[in-house]
């Protein structure tokens, strides 16, 4: 940057006129000129704990106020090594969870003076490209709501960028993570359904790249095997209403009649499956067929649905992620910790859980 | 920052060991040391168009690669005066639009190498506090999906920060804005309903701080007056399912029987109103009562609802906002422009629009 300044006079009006003429923003050099101090003195005045006399500090603050100067975060971050930017890596699919998680994380980080820089992924498998872009931003930390490979985890360590996995985990690795116990949630759901007489299970799986959906499916399948019940019919699903509608029709084609229950690996599919069962196939849910979801999104509780589902404590999980990442940023590395939240079975009106065997 | 470096030897391994010992990230000084050039030569090597010899550039790039060094965006932005950060100011209320708008904006900006820095608002009226925080980040531009006062608009100009209003407008001011014509959408809805015999109208308003909801209400009320139909009963609403449920019960209390139609100022309230009408009050919708929404969110199209609503072209609007803001950032100021998108009446199954008078 230039060390000379074309300004001759030092009044507020002249400096503002010059800035106007040059169609640029106010810089620390303008403040230095008006205050009659060096640019370095201006920098030091805005740097917490830096050496600067009281008189100089006062002159700089007065000039900054007259020129309406705000030291920009980029310049400040070079001094404090803090940008107050938190990267959030999250799938951009039309997931009805998105607003809850995002709004809660944003609120919680804002309370600590930090802001979310958003990196949305078209698919969880396209994370490499997003990471290589992210390294160019000096973020203080990262919340990763997507699946990381071991190589990617190693890159975070090598670059010394603190991160927290949100609702994901990596087996056999010590990583800071906030998770909901999907496996246990699925096991409890199956146990309860089996306890109330459900025998023939079908499952609509989630998107191929969703680790969470796979865990939900695995927990269900494992528990069914332990209970010596028939292996479930599994059909492919996705992340939207339409895949629940398609999943149901595929299940009904493959089986002689409806199964006892269809476990859908997320709520929005369960809602599609439920609507189609009732309104397209004229099935009595739960009389002839139980349907369950996973997640606990707002529409699951709407009167038309009253979905039986396994709810994740989104608010608590988001708070925990913010706390954990803030601590990592403030204190540097600490012993890796995994905070595991339990899911809660919500007994709605779409599964026969009312009368024990 | 220090201009001396304690490093004596210049091998990759030694430098990496030092960085490890000091528990810090790789800096441009480490790269300079390994490459045997000045720190300024490293800076210039990473600055597009800066003067640096081919040989020096090659040495710097090799050293940077060996140390896995990425120039951080904060440092780069001081050179290029571009941060590639776009602030998005948006309400954090549990709005089911949020994911669509946000995901689309994020995708579109990412295609241009820009990322969204998220500033969520608990209420549209609390924007002052968020703005004063935002000025500290050197953002290239701002998308404002909230209501700005004239004083706030003036502050954007004074600070020379390009911005685009998203789905908001300020009367009698020349501001770059992307809007959906709420007023005209409401007028068309009312005209169509009146054309099919609806006479007694009720309206559930939106949240008090929502300019969009107020425009929808104003358009409806104005058109009713023009058509010389009775003034509608208006009850207070909000931004969630529960306020639609409450709104219906308030309307039914105040009137002898159900009105011909209830216009809800957003879809999620319309869904609550519809569920309650059918399942709590046993009303035939649309046989006894028509119910309409505004917005066109995904759940409005679900089989249980098939809501008659006024849809906004969210994807087109988000694309237009990104294009407009990118142009402002690249070319500096231009003639203020307002791009107005039309809303589309979606004829669902919740209003009697089938048989003309």
């Amino acid at each position: 940057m230039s060390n000379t300044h074309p300004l001759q006079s030092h009044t507020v009006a002249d400096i503002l006129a010059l800035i106007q003429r040059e169609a640029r923003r106010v810089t620390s050099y303008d403040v230095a000129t008006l205050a009659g101090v060096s640019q370095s003195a201006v920098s030091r005045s805005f740097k917490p704990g830096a050496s600067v006399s009281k008189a100089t500090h006062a002159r700089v603050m007065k000039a900054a106020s007259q020129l309406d100067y705000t030291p920009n975060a980029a310049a400040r971050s070079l001094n404090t090594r803090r940008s107050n930017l938190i990267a959030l890596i999250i799938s951009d699919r039309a997931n009805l969870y998105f607003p809850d998680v995002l709004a809660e994380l944003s609120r919680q980080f804002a309370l600590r003076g930090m802001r979310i820089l958003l990196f949305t992924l078209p698919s969880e498998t396209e994370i490499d490209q997003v990471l290589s872009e992210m390294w160019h931003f000096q973020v203080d930390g990262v919340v990763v709501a997507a699946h990381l490979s071991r190589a990617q985890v190693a890159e975070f360590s090598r670059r010394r960028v603190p991160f927290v996995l949100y609702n994901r985990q990596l087996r056999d690795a010590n990583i800071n993570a906030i998770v909901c116990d999907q496996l246990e949630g699925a096991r409890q759901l199956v146990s309860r359904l089996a306890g109330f007489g459900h025998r023939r299970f079908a499952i609509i799986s989630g998107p191929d790249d969703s680790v969470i959906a796979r865990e939900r499916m695995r927990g269900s399948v494992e528990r069914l095997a332990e209970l010596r019940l028939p292996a479930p019919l599994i059909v492919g699903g996705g992340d939207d209403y339409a895949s629940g509608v398609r999943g149901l029709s595929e299940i009904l084609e493959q089986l002689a009649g409806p199964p006892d229950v269809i476990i859908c690996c997320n709520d929005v599919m369960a809602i599609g499956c439920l609507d189609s069962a009732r309104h397209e196939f004229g099935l009595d849910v739960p009389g002839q067929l139980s349907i369950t979801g996973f997640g606990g999104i707002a529409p699951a509780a709407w009167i038309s649905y009253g979905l039986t589902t396994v709810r994740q404590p989104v608010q608590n999980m988001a708070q925990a992620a913010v706390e954990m990442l803030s601590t990592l940023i403030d204190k540097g590395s600490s012993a890796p910790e995994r905070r595991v939240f339990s899911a809660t079975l919500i007994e709605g009106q779409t599964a026969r859980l009312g009368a024990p065997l």
Side-chain angles (χ1 to χ4, degrees), chain A:
Chain A
M1 234 166 292
S2 163
N3 282 317
T4 62
H5 200 280
L7 197 72
Q8 296 306 316
S9 70
H10 294 176
T11 73
V12 176
D14 285 340
I15 294 179
L16 288 175
L18 177 77
I19 291 163
Q20 180 80 34
R21 256 197 326 276
E22 296 181 350
R24 57 176 176 81
R25 301 185 195 175
V26 182
T27 68
S28 60
Y29 201 79
D30 300 315
V31 177
T33 305
L34 181 61
V37 302
S38 69
Q39 197 174 0
S40 153
V42 175
S43 294
R44 279 178 285 120
S45 295
F46 281 102
K47 187 172 168 178
S51 161
V52 60
S53 77
K54 270 199 179 172
T56 300
H57 186 268
R59 285 168 71 179
V60 167
M61 289 301 140
K62 186 182 172 200
S65 155
Q66 288 175 311
L67 296 176
D68 202 11
Y69 168 78
T70 310
N72 73 52
R76 277 188 305 137
S77 80
L78 288 178
N79 293 332
T80 63
R81 304 215 150 271
R82 284 284 281 270
S83 63
N84 292 317
L85 297 178
I86 300 295
L88 171 64
I89 302 179
I90 193 169
S91 161
D92 75 352
R93 64 170 56 108
N95 188 323
L96 293 173
Y97 254 119
F98 199 75
D100 293 343
V101 176
L102 197 53
E104 191 60 36
L105 286 173
S106 178
R107 255 193 299 270
Q108 294 286 330
F109 277 120
L111 290 174
R112 295 162 192 255
M114 295 184 274
R115 288 292 172 177
I116 286 179
L117 187 58
L118 198 58
F119 292 86
T120 49
L121 296 171
S123 151
E124 287 204 17
T125 54
E126 294 179 43
I127 198 169
D128 258 328
Q129 194 189 325
V130 163
L131 284 181
S132 73
E133 194 199 335
M134 192 190 74
W135 304 128
H136 290 281
F137 292 90
Q138 197 193 18
V139 296
D140 290 342
V142 187
V143 175
V144 184
H147 180 70
L148 288 184
S149 68
R150 263 160 227 290
Q152 287 159 344
V153 167
E155 194 165 5
F156 273 92
S157 310
R158 201 166 62 241
R159 292 177 181 275
R160 303 181 184 287
V161 176
F163 74 103
V164 168
L165 276 184
Y166 182 85
N167 217 354
R168 302 288 185 287
Q169 51 186 314
L170 197 56
R171 301 254 159 215
D172 311 320
N174 295 326
I175 292 178
N176 288 288
I178 303 295
V179 294
C180 180
D181 196 337
Q182 311 291 344
L183 213 68
E184 184 57 30
R187 292 175 58 90
Q188 288 182 11
L189 173 67
V190 167
S191 300
R192 183 65 80 83
L193 287 164
F196 283 91
H198 296 79
R199 290 288 171 268
R200 292 170 307 141
F201 283 69
I203 298 178
I204 306 179
S205 71
D208 287 340
D209 67 340
S210 166
V211 181
I212 294 175
R214 280 208 303 270
E215 297 238 309
R216 290 165 178 174
M217 190 160 70
R218 193 160 65 88
S220 306
V221 171
E222 280 179 7
R223 186 66 188 133
L224 283 171
E226 286 172 14
L227 293 170
R228 300 180 181 280
L229 286 171
L233 169 63
I234 300 175
V235 301
D239 49 32
D240 58 356
Y241 182 88
S243 36
V245 174
R246 275 196 309 272
L248 172 69
S249 109
E250 203 176 319
I251 288 167
L252 294 180
E253 262 171 40
Q254 294 197 31
L255 298 179
D260 293 336
V261 56
I262 300 177
I263 294 179
C264 303
C265 286
N266 58 53
D267 280 350
V268 70
M269 283 199 304
I271 287 172
C273 180
L274 179 57
D275 266 352
S276 176
R278 285 177 173 160
H279 303 292
E280 296 186 334
F281 289 93
L283 292 168
D284 173 11
V285 179
Q288 290 173 273
L289 167 66
S290 293
I291 293 175
T292 65
F294 265 103
I297 60 176
W302 291 352
I303 301 169
S304 284
Y305 303 120
L307 191 68
T308 299
T309 188
V310 182
R311 181 184 288 161
Q312 305 180 107
V314 173
Q315 202 172 5
N316 299 352
M317 290 169 66
Q319 278 175 9
V322 172
E323 279 167 22
M324 189 182 272
L325 189 57
S326 301
T327 305
L328 282 173
I329 293 168
D330 290 343
K331 305 204 173 150
S333 58
S334 65
E337 185 190 359
R338 203 154 53 95
R339 290 180 62 178
V340 183
F341 289 84
S342 293
T344 312
L345 180 60
I346 304 295
E347 292 195 19
Q349 289 105 46
T350 62
R352 298 183 303 281
L353 297 177
L357 275 186

